[in-house]
Amino acid sequence: MVPVFIVFLAYDVFLLIFMRRFSTSSFVLTDDYFHFINNAKEVKWTYDEIAKLDPKSIKNTGGWLNVVPKDGKNVKITIVLDEIAKFVKDFKTRLDNKGMNDKYNDEKLFKFYKTAAYADDSWRRSYYFIPRFALLILLQVIVSLVVTITMENEIMVNPIFVTTFVVLIT
């Protein structure tokens, strides 16, 4: 049987290798151009070089925004990028200001924007709750050990429940 820590180590290596490109991705919108950078490529287009925005989304789950140029390979911007909703809103505003609102389907872009805003909010909540959840698990382990040692293996649910409840409400 494979020890559990080896399974988690393999999973962490997998995440490091295959998800690194998301952590190094960034985008910049200026008045003149769209600039996207990740570890695989760097793209800098003027707004006139963009043929269309093609958003694909699964409601409240995920999706991507294909930025399709008039010539060349498109750029796929996924929901996992930080502040993606702000980016989409800013991108749409810049295109509208230049009179290029024919480059996107307003309904599809709005659906993508809602999913992106939901994803951004979910990440913010995760950053808030994950450390508390880890602390909760640690406290449960400590309380369980203390109860097990002091009560000679009697099962006591109430102290664990009370500790869990106190940690969750703080």
Side-chain angles (χ1 to χ4, degrees):
M1 187 168 166
V2 178
V4 173
F5 75 91
I6 292 177
V7 172
F8 284 116
L9 181 65
Y11 178 70
D12 289 341
V13 169
F14 171 80
L15 287 178
L16 179 67
I17 292 170
F18 293 105
M19 302 301 255
R20 180 182 296 165
R21 68 186 176 120
F22 295 121
S23 66
T24 60
S25 297
S26 66
F27 44 81
V28 176
L29 294 174
T30 67
D31 291 335
D32 300 324
Y33 62 87
F34 160 79
H35 192 189
F36 177 79
I37 305 166
N38 70 10
N39 60 350
K41 63 181 160 184
E42 180 175 347
V43 174
K44 188 174 182 179
W45 296 321
T46 64
Y47 294 108
D48 292 329
E49 293 177 85
I50 297 172
K52 70 176 182 171
L53 299 181
D54 187 23
K56 307 284 187 200
S57 66
I58 304 167
K59 185 177 182 181
N60 297 334
T61 304
W64 61 90
L65 176 67
N66 279 327
V67 182
V68 181
K70 291 180 180 173
D71 57 345
K73 196 170 181 183
N74 65 344
V75 171
K76 186 183 287 189
I77 301 172
T78 63
I79 288 286
V80 298
L81 292 177
D82 193 31
E83 299 289 330
I84 187 70
K86 181 181 174 188
F87 166 77
V88 170
K89 188 175 183 179
D90 194 26
F91 203 178
K92 180 186 179 307
T93 302
R94 290 178 190 275
L95 288 173
D96 289 346
N97 289 343
K98 293 186 176 292
M100 298 179 174
N101 53 354
D102 59 328
K103 295 188 184 241
Y104 60 87
N105 179 321
D106 200 35
E107 183 179 328
K108 286 173 67 176
L109 191 62
F110 183 67
K111 286 180 182 179
F112 179 79
Y113 171 76
K114 288 192 309 186
T115 301
Y118 178 79
D120 286 345
D121 291 343
S122 294
W123 279 113
R124 279 194 224 58
R125 285 190 298 272
S126 296
Y127 293 144
Y128 177 80
F129 283 112
I130 286 176
R132 285 164 178 74
F133 185 69
L135 179 62
L136 172 68
I137 291 172
L138 179 65
L139 284 173
Q140 286 179 338
V141 168
I142 292 169
V143 169
S144 297
L145 288 173
V146 169
V147 168
T148 302
I149 292 170
T150 59
M151 303 307 255
E152 299 174 353
N153 294 330
E154 290 182 28
I155 298 175
M156 304 247 340
V157 176
N158 289 338
I160 295 171
F161 176 75
V162 170
T163 304
T164 304
F165 184 72
V166 169
V167 170
L168 282 175
I169 63 172
T170 56

